[in-house]
Amino acid sequence: MIAAFFERLNETQGLNFSVFYDAFDASRFLTGLWTTSYICVVSILASLALGLAGVWVAGGGSRLGRLVVRGYVQFFRNTPPLVQLSFFYFAVGGLLPRVSDGFGGLSPPVSGTGWAIIAFSLFAGAFNVEIFRAGIEAVPATTVEAAESLGYTRLQLYIHVVLPLAFRICLPALNNNLVNLVKTTTLAYAIGVPELLYAASQIWSESFNVREMMNVLLVTYVLLVGVLVLVMGRWEKAMRIPGYTT
Amino acid sequence: MKRLAILALTCAATVAASLAALPAFAQDSLAKIKEKGVLSVGVKNDYKPWGFLEPSGKIVGLEIDLAQAVADKIGVKLEMLPVIAANRMEFLKQGRIDMVIATMGDTADRRKIIGMVEPNYYAGATNVLAPKSVGLKSWTDLKGRKVCAVQGAYYNRRVTQMYAPELVVFPSVPDALNALQGNNCAAFLFDDTLIVSTLSGGDAKWAGYEMPLVSEDPQLWAIGIRLEDMTGPFGTLVKEMSIDWHKSGKLLELETKWGIKQSPYLIETNKKLKAAS
């Protein structure tokens, strides 16, 4: 039904939405959608973990730890993600030892998709460290002192008092950063990772339907980001304490 | 729900607006080019020696010489815009360039979109560049293996469907070659003309590489112009020049000048046209 409609649209109007009727193009686009979603989910989780770990170390007693986190944040926040990606894929990837590729030959141990996930996680993680720091610093010092006087250890203090409050404060900023991360995944195109932009450009360079594919791509990203925003919005609402934050 | 409806409407409006923006052009391109005093040509700048960057940053090569010849004939300045396979036809359709001469294969699908000038000025075929250590013997050896390629090339689809390699496609030739040298792929799928000239270039970094397969799917290269120019004065002029390049042996001379082995297609066309006159 849908395929027939789009095939007719192509014949009568010259609007070639090949992804909806050409099985080969459709499978490429779905692979792209899957790869993008996969990179997004893994990078989001890894960047959150990095952010939490970073802010934990930065707030700790170790001078060296603080310096390392500072260096990490400055480096990944102040260089373009595309440069980081190329650096990892072409420079770092070339230095790593080779592993068997299953055909008797040797190939690098990390694939393009792997490097994309690593680069994007580190990039977004650097911002997350700062976002969490802002949230933690906004927790009233008196609350922290009260908890300390009750005998909480540092870990307990974080888990039961600081983080629950800090999380609520930094959710809007976190939201922003994660939406950005989803959009940044298109850069993986530059190292041949079969994500959405890559799939779309493959299709339009063969079927010459740039305008149609651009629109499909835009709508797909609106939907992808929409899902993320919806989830984050729900979470924000569920965590709201009346009278604490807006 | 209301918010969703607004979102959907905004999307629909964007789609409609960009689909409606069909380009419209005046008919006589030759007069327009003369009036502007500039011939804009889409060329390759990463395809040695057809179109590549000199150390000084200037774009030179066999195709650049041809583009210059057309500009000289019309009596205007030549302006070159580096293009890649994925954007050259769109640039031409949008009117950003008047002509494409960028190692472009002449296919039936592309002929629906843009005009291909005959006689074709060159011919290539599909092959791969691979490290000798990979030991490829036939096209079927590519099955399931990572193969680097360049975005927008006409053979990507055919090779994927016939031999099922895992294609890793890059925006440009240098990216793909870098990836090949970093062992990110077992082979680099490309036009045999470029592979031959890369291997015969004497560069030490290609010493361990070979072109192991039998070239497939021979493909003519064409100068591209807009469809409406095909019957117009500009199309006629380019077509006449193309005949002359073959007949006078200019193309064969250019091959020698740029260190390319004389190709059977050019020798044959040269003979055919000479015999016909």
Side-chain angles (χ1 to χ4, degrees):
Chain A
M1 251 289 279
I2 298 172
F5 169 73
F6 281 105
E7 217 155 354
R8 270 244 333 249
L9 192 68
N10 184 22
E11 280 156 22
T12 55
Q13 305 291 321
L15 293 180
N16 183 11
F17 288 94
S18 58
V19 275
F20 295 113
Y21 64 83
D22 183 315
F24 188 65
D25 284 358
S27 81
R28 282 198 288 195
F29 195 76
L30 286 178
T31 308
L33 188 60
W34 159 247
T35 311
T36 294
S37 312
Y38 176 71
I39 295 177
C40 283
V41 170
V42 179
S43 306
I44 285 174
L45 294 178
S47 74
L48 287 174
L50 269 172
L52 283 175
V55 82
W56 171 261
V57 173
S62 157
R63 213 179 121 81
L64 180 72
R66 277 206 301 275
L67 268 175
V68 169
V69 174
R70 264 190 87 83
Y72 157 65
V73 170
Q74 295 300 344
F75 183 78
F76 282 94
R77 197 177 55 177
N78 301 344
T79 49
L82 181 58
V83 175
Q84 294 166 9
L85 191 62
S86 307
F87 171 73
F88 278 120
Y89 186 73
F90 289 114
V92 180
L95 295 176
L96 292 182
R98 304 272 174 248
V99 295
S100 166
D101 63 357
F103 294 92
L106 295 173
S107 70
V110 184
S111 68
T113 311
W115 282 126
I117 289 173
I118 292 171
F120 297 145
S121 302
L122 286 168
F123 176 67
F127 284 88
N128 284 350
V129 171
E130 291 298 280
I131 289 169
F132 288 139
R133 189 168 67 91
I136 286 169
E137 282 176 6
V139 174
T142 46
T143 311
V144 178
E145 274 168 26
E148 271 171 347
S149 66
L150 285 173
Y152 277 90
T153 63
R154 187 162 166 249
L155 186 64
Q156 285 172 329
L157 184 76
Y158 261 81
I159 292 174
H160 299 295
V161 181
V162 175
L163 284 183
L165 290 175
F167 238 125
R168 290 176 166 84
I169 300 165
C170 60
L171 265 178
L174 193 62
N175 224 335
N176 263 346
N177 190 32
L178 296 185
V179 166
N180 243 334
L181 176 60
V182 171
K183 294 185 290 183
T184 309
T185 57
T186 47
L187 294 178
Y189 164 74
I191 57 166
V193 175
E195 47 78 57
L196 273 172
L197 178 60
Y198 173 97
S201 71
Q202 288 288 297
I203 293 168
W204 79 53
S205 56
E206 280 166 17
S207 305
F208 320 113
N209 51 353
V210 182
R211 277 176 299 142
E212 293 90 332
M213 285 313 297
M214 274 292 177
N215 284 300
V216 171
L217 207 54
L218 271 177
V219 172
T220 311
Y221 273 103
V222 167
L223 292 177
L224 267 182
V225 172
V227 169
L228 176 67
V229 170
L230 201 77
V231 171
M232 295 296 282
R234 281 270 163 87
W235 194 23
E236 212 173 319
K237 226 178 228 168
M239 285 184 56
R240 202 173 83 92
I241 307 173
Y244 183 62
T245 51
T246 49
Chain B
M1 216 49 233
K2 201 174 151 203
R3 271 199 298 184
L4 261 181
I6 293 173
L7 186 70
L9 273 178
T10 322
C11 283
T14 319
V15 173
S18 66
L19 287 179
L22 283 163
F25 296 108
Q27 287 303 304
D28 190 358
S29 294
L30 189 59
K32 256 174 82 183
I33 293 163
K34 277 184 180 156
E35 192 189 317
K36 270 192 304 179
V38 176
L39 173 73
S40 303
V41 183
V43 296
K44 282 276 175 88
N45 67 359
D46 59 4
Y47 207 107
K48 202 173 181 180
W50 281 267
F52 63 103
L53 288 170
E54 256 187 351
S56 70
K58 232 178 78 185
I59 308 175
V60 294
L62 187 147
E63 291 184 334
I64 314 305
D65 288 350
L66 296 180
Q68 187 66 54
V70 177
D72 289 346
K73 179 98 174 179
I74 306 175
V76 291
K77 254 179 47 196
L78 173 69
E79 180 191 71
M80 289 181 285
L81 181 70
V83 295
I84 57 171
N87 64 18
R88 56 193 172 190
M89 275 174 280
E90 202 56 26
F91 280 180
L92 185 68
K93 269 167 64 191
Q94 288 171 359
R96 286 186 63 175
I97 47 181
D98 305 305
M99 186 170 102
V100 172
I101 177 158
T103 66
M104 184 168 63
D106 184 352
T107 67
D109 275 347
R110 287 175 176 170
R111 277 178 179 248
K112 288 184 201 150
I113 315 287
I114 60 168
M116 299 282 185
V117 176
E118 283 175 294
N120 300 75
Y121 69 95
Y122 213 81
T126 312
N127 209 319
V128 298
L129 175 66
K132 285 175 183 154
S133 57
V134 172
L136 292 176
K137 294 275 179 298
S138 77
W139 282 93
T140 47
D141 290 349
L142 293 178
K143 188 169 186 234
R145 305 200 64 163
K146 281 203 166 112
V147 172
C148 288
V150 175
Q151 197 208 334
Y154 62 84
Y155 34 74
N156 289 357
R157 185 183 179 123
R158 191 186 68 91
V159 171
T160 310
Q161 286 178 325
M162 288 185 70
Y163 306 112
E166 188 188 325
L167 230 50
V168 185
V169 184
F170 291 84
S172 76
V173 177
D175 292 334
L177 287 177
N178 259 330
L180 177 70
Q181 294 228 305
N183 285 73
N184 288 298
C185 359
F188 170 54
L189 176 69
F190 213 68
D191 207 290
D192 61 353
T193 52
L194 181 87
I195 298 174
V196 168
S197 74
T198 304
L199 287 176
S200 62
D203 194 334
K205 75 178 178 185
W206 297 114
Y209 289 78
E210 60 175 351
M211 185 170 83
L213 308 178
V214 180
S215 291
E216 277 200 350
D217 191 24
Q219 198 79 28
L220 297 171
W221 292 6
I223 296 178
I225 56 177
R226 279 187 288 277
L227 272 175
E228 60 265 32
D229 280 336
M230 281 301 273
T231 49
F234 181 54
T236 314
L237 177 115
V238 179
K239 190 177 162 66
E240 275 167 9
M241 291 194 73
S242 183
I243 295 174
D244 185 54
W245 289 337
H246 277 292
K247 218 155 98 178
S248 65
K250 180 181 165 90
L251 283 167
L252 289 163
E253 270 168 40
L254 283 176
E255 275 194 318
T256 316
K257 171 181 170 190
W258 292 104
I260 308 162
K261 215 176 95 208
Q262 293 205 335
S263 71
Y265 170 72
L266 286 187
I267 297 171
E268 198 187 309
T269 316
N270 174 257
K271 270 190 200 142
K272 220 163 58 189
L273 283 172
K274 263 189 177 159
S277 62

